[in-house]
Amino acid sequence: FQSLSTSEVYTKISEEAGKPSADVWFGGTTDPYNEATADGLLEPYEAMNAVNLIGDQYKDPTNCWYGIYKGILGFMVNTEELDRLKEAGTFQVAPVAGTYYILVNAEGKGMIPELQDPKVRRALALAIDRNYVTDMVTKRGEIPADTFLPRGFHDEDGNDYYDSAEKFWDNSTYEANCEEAKKLMAEAGYPDGAGFPTISYTINNNSAHAAIAEYVQNVWKEVLGVDCTIDSQEFAVFLDMRTAGDYALARAGWTVDYMDPASLMELWITSSGNNDCHFYNEEYDSYISAAAHATSQNERFENFHKAEKILEEQLPIIPIYYYSEPYLMDTSKYDGFFSYLAMPVFKYVVQK
């Protein structure tokens, strides 16, 4: 039994790409179920007790979901109030062990040969201002990524894996990053984007993904002279395209199923069914295997660092940000909140 918020469940079953870790989704309002049904994430199920539930108007006509109870629910969005809550210190953000990234396809009919050059991939990565993305585009307290693995994984001495990881880039030096990106493109044979083909960035229909895609499209053109189109698809089609390698670049993300680097690092081994960038590297596989057979956490981390170094050099994925979980709590009056596997836990909150 996994207790998650509606958005977390939707993200989880979306990213599990037809390989769900659970059988039933229970709780929440009907809108997410309608959206999940439209995106092909739910399967019809003939509930034995359906006749005893509330009326037919409160169930999906194809039996993908059933209403259990009804009640009044209201929503309000007030950006000025959110700003006030942030200033007051009531708006809090809990880090989530997961990363949002761009896949660079290495195989299949959507593969673009020019994108197989690590210099080009790094140029595309450096041209992205991750601080701008999290501050002005997503605005949910996400943390700009400078590695693949986020914080939260600890060795035998309590040290965080992230602190000893080699960073892919410095997010505080964006102007310098852009200059390096331009230099790399020139070295790859495409000064100011000359001679570089138009590339396509594939996303599923979602306003949040679209906003990021539009920013990336603009900045690649402005900094590198690279033209990029946005290919927005229904979610089920999007997943099939990623699996088949029928894309050049595609948005993706993953949050851990258990608190260990392997939950993320094993995505990119050759035998992984979730390796949608089709990145196959024997050396990478060997480090992940060595980590699995290591006799200590420190030895495991050493192998994960070596594997992540390959991700830094080859960039089969371009990390954008680490996920977060925003919540409201006056920390001057209350204590005891924590988040585990993207699940906010308030049951232990006590008044100071």
Side-chain angles (χ1 to χ4, degrees):
F1 178 79
Q2 301 178 53
S3 180
L4 304 172
S5 70
T6 298
S7 62
E8 291 162 348
V9 172
Y10 198 95
T11 299
K12 185 174 181 62
I13 62 176
S14 297
E15 296 301 341
E16 286 175 341
K19 306 178 183 67
S21 58
D23 298 311
V24 178
W25 175 11
F26 178 84
T29 59
T30 58
D31 286 345
Y33 290 93
N34 283 324
E35 186 175 348
T37 301
D39 286 342
L41 299 178
L42 303 181
E43 294 183 351
Y45 171 67
E46 188 67 38
M48 296 177 60
N49 198 39
V51 294
N52 298 319
L53 301 179
I54 57 181
D56 289 344
Q57 68 268 39
Y58 300 110
K59 75 173 185 178
D60 176 58
T62 62
N63 297 332
C64 282
W65 59 264
Y66 296 86
I68 305 299
Y69 61 87
K70 61 181 178 179
I72 298 174
L73 187 65
F75 292 91
M76 179 185 72
V77 176
N78 187 326
T79 56
E80 292 182 359
E81 178 66 6
L82 286 177
D83 289 338
R84 185 191 69 79
L85 291 171
K86 289 179 181 180
E87 292 178 3
T90 307
F91 181 88
Q92 312 294 340
V93 175
V96 172
T99 307
Y100 186 97
Y101 46 86
I102 298 173
L103 297 169
V104 183
N105 184 26
E107 182 180 273
K109 66 179 182 180
M111 186 270 288
I112 294 179
E114 289 83 354
L115 287 176
Q116 307 314 304
D117 187 339
K119 289 184 177 180
V120 171
R121 296 182 180 189
R122 184 165 181 81
L124 294 175
L126 290 173
I128 299 172
D129 186 347
R130 290 160 181 78
N131 291 308
Y132 182 89
V133 172
T134 57
D135 291 344
M136 305 303 295
V137 181
T138 58
K139 300 182 181 180
R140 285 175 48 89
E142 296 90 347
I143 302 170
D146 53 9
T147 59
F148 175 54
L149 290 180
R151 290 187 178 275
F153 309 113
H154 299 94
D155 65 17
E156 297 167 355
D157 302 315
N159 300 313
D160 197 297
Y161 172 96
Y162 174 88
D163 291 332
S164 56
E166 183 172 328
K167 305 303 182 282
F168 290 15
W169 42 69
D170 186 346
N171 285 320
S172 68
T173 59
Y174 180 61
E175 290 185 4
N177 291 347
C178 288
E179 291 305 313
E180 182 182 349
K182 294 175 182 178
K183 179 181 178 182
L184 288 169
M185 284 295 286
E187 291 176 357
Y190 313 105
D192 298 321
F196 198 79
T198 297
I199 56 178
S200 176
Y201 182 36
T202 303
I203 62 172
N204 56 295
N205 294 337
N206 179 287
S207 59
H209 300 316
I212 295 173
E214 289 167 4
Y215 164 77
V216 168
Q217 178 188 49
N218 290 334
V219 80
W220 282 344
K221 178 63 174 179
E222 180 181 340
V223 176
L224 303 175
V226 171
D227 290 313
C228 175
T229 61
I230 298 173
D231 179 23
S232 185
Q233 298 287 342
E234 292 295 329
F235 193 74
V237 175
F238 170 73
L239 291 180
D240 288 342
M241 291 177 67
R242 284 198 333 195
T243 301
D246 187 13
Y247 72 92
L249 300 162
R251 79 96 197 157
W254 198 271
T255 58
V256 298
D257 298 301
Y258 52 95
M259 281 304 297
D260 189 90
S263 186
L264 287 165
M265 297 296 283
E266 289 181 354
L267 292 172
W268 316 124
I269 59 176
T270 300
S271 60
S272 171
N274 295 304
N275 187 352
D276 286 347
C277 60
H278 306 280
F279 170 72
Y280 309 126
N281 185 290
E282 292 183 0
E283 185 180 7
Y284 182 90
D285 290 353
S286 70
Y287 290 137
I288 302 303
S289 177
H293 294 88
T295 57
S296 71
Q297 187 76 322
N298 289 347
E299 184 183 353
R300 295 180 73 248
F301 277 22
E302 181 180 347
N303 282 287
F304 285 136
H305 280 310
K306 292 177 180 178
E308 194 172 27
K309 178 64 177 178
I310 294 176
L311 295 183
E312 176 192 357
E313 293 172 345
Q314 299 296 318
L315 287 177
I317 48 99
I318 299 175
I320 305 299
Y321 61 73
Y322 309 128
Y323 286 107
S324 65
E325 182 66 35
Y327 64 99
L328 296 178
M329 189 172 85
D330 188 342
T331 55
S332 68
K333 297 179 180 179
Y334 300 94
D335 198 5
F337 170 88
F338 70 94
S339 175
Y340 182 69
L341 298 182
M343 179 179 68
V345 181
F346 286 95
K347 64 186 296 183
Y348 301 113
V349 172
V350 295
Q351 191 168 4
K352 290 184 177 179

